[in-house]
Amino acid sequence: MAIIETWIPPSREHWDFLLWLWQFYPITTHYIYRAVIGPLLNPSMSPIHPIIFLSAITFQLVNAISIGGWLASYGPLTSKDWEGHAEWIEVGMVVFGLGLLSNIYHDDELREIRRAAARKQDRDNIDQGQKLGNKSVAKVYMVPENGLFRLVLYPHYLSEWIEWCGFWMIGGLGCLPARCFVINEVASMLPRAVNGRQWYVERFGKDKIGARKAVIPWTL
């Protein structure tokens, strides 16, 4: 007996549609978090140079067109095309999900630094009889201590790479747009992480940073 006629359980036509829709789940979930939820959660945001802003838009447009084209037209489309790929999809979904959860967790650890600074400022303002929230916390910096921050200074970068390696596995190792995305992310973010570690050392000292690496535990 059908719970919802032709949907639960689905007819072959609706099953194919749901399967087609499901392939978009990882990328849409990531960008809902990154582009919509993330900015709303940030206590403050630093200014961004127009060139960086335009470069990011260009990168995302090319990436979206490439991945969208692969999913909609140029990659595997039929059940036969995906035959024998179920294990890769299952493992890739797990890898992507773990990377996304790690990304969210470590992003929130960074936000908590400024949230804690804002709470302290509010308490100080109350003690001094001043208005709440009249000072910016945008330039408050500390060394995070939780999660993978114990091992590296940029675990949110590493988590992002893990996410998109999972997406690459879902699309198949022959998914050129996903592979290019991973390569471009590592190529653009790795130098930032290495330079960022040097900034942390200069600001907080070698003793405070200790054995933490930039982005890859025990390695780099």
Side-chain angles (χ1 to χ4, degrees):
M1 179 179 176
I3 299 174
I4 300 176
E5 193 68 30
T6 74
W7 282 104
I8 304 177
S11 64
R12 179 68 191 198
E13 180 183 356
H14 287 163
W15 183 83
D16 286 338
F17 172 73
L18 291 171
L19 188 63
W20 175 83
L21 196 63
W22 183 245
Q23 68 185 336
F24 295 97
Y25 167 75
I27 192 168
T28 53
T29 302
H30 171 84
Y31 281 107
I32 287 172
Y33 165 69
R34 177 62 68 211
V36 179
I37 298 174
L40 294 176
L41 295 175
N42 289 338
S44 60
M45 297 182 68
S46 299
I48 183 171
H49 194 281
I51 292 178
I52 302 299
F53 177 74
L54 293 173
S55 297
I57 289 177
T58 302
F59 175 83
Q60 294 298 349
L61 282 174
V62 173
N63 181 58
I65 292 169
S66 299
I67 291 179
W70 175 272
L71 292 174
S73 299
Y74 303 116
L77 295 176
T78 66
S79 299
K80 187 175 181 180
D81 293 336
W82 287 101
E83 202 170 82
H85 190 64
E87 292 81 6
W88 278 101
I89 294 175
E90 291 168 1
V91 174
M93 290 291 289
V94 172
V95 172
F96 182 91
L98 291 174
L100 177 61
L101 292 175
S102 177
N103 204 347
I104 293 171
Y105 172 81
H106 292 101
D107 277 352
D108 201 62
E109 285 296 308
L110 294 175
R111 294 187 193 104
E112 182 57 26
I113 291 175
R114 292 182 180 176
R115 286 197 296 256
R119 290 193 294 267
K120 181 178 184 301
Q121 286 184 178
D122 286 344
R123 289 195 299 268
D124 293 343
N125 289 342
I126 291 173
D127 293 340
Q128 298 170 15
Q130 299 177 4
K131 293 181 179 180
L132 297 180
N134 62 346
K135 292 183 180 179
S136 171
V137 295
K139 297 301 180 182
V140 174
Y141 298 104
M142 295 175 62
V143 179
E145 301 289 345
N146 297 323
L148 290 176
F149 280 111
R150 297 187 183 96
L151 300 175
V152 295
L153 293 167
Y154 291 85
H156 45 312
Y157 284 16
L158 177 61
S159 301
E160 185 107 356
W161 300 347
I162 292 171
E163 270 189 80
W164 293 111
C165 283
F167 185 78
W168 182 15
M169 293 172 69
I170 294 168
L173 297 183
C175 180
L176 183 59
R179 184 174 70 212
C180 289
F181 190 14
V182 173
I183 293 172
N184 281 315
E185 278 219 323
V186 174
S188 63
M189 297 165 75
L190 181 59
R192 293 210 308 264
V194 173
N195 291 335
R197 186 185 186 280
Q198 183 60 35
W199 178 89
Y200 270 100
V201 170
E202 292 173 356
R203 187 177 184 91
F204 297 100
K206 290 183 178 180
D207 292 340
K208 179 67 175 177
I209 301 305
R212 290 182 181 91
K213 298 298 183 180
V215 68
I216 302 176
W218 309 294
T219 305
L220 181 63

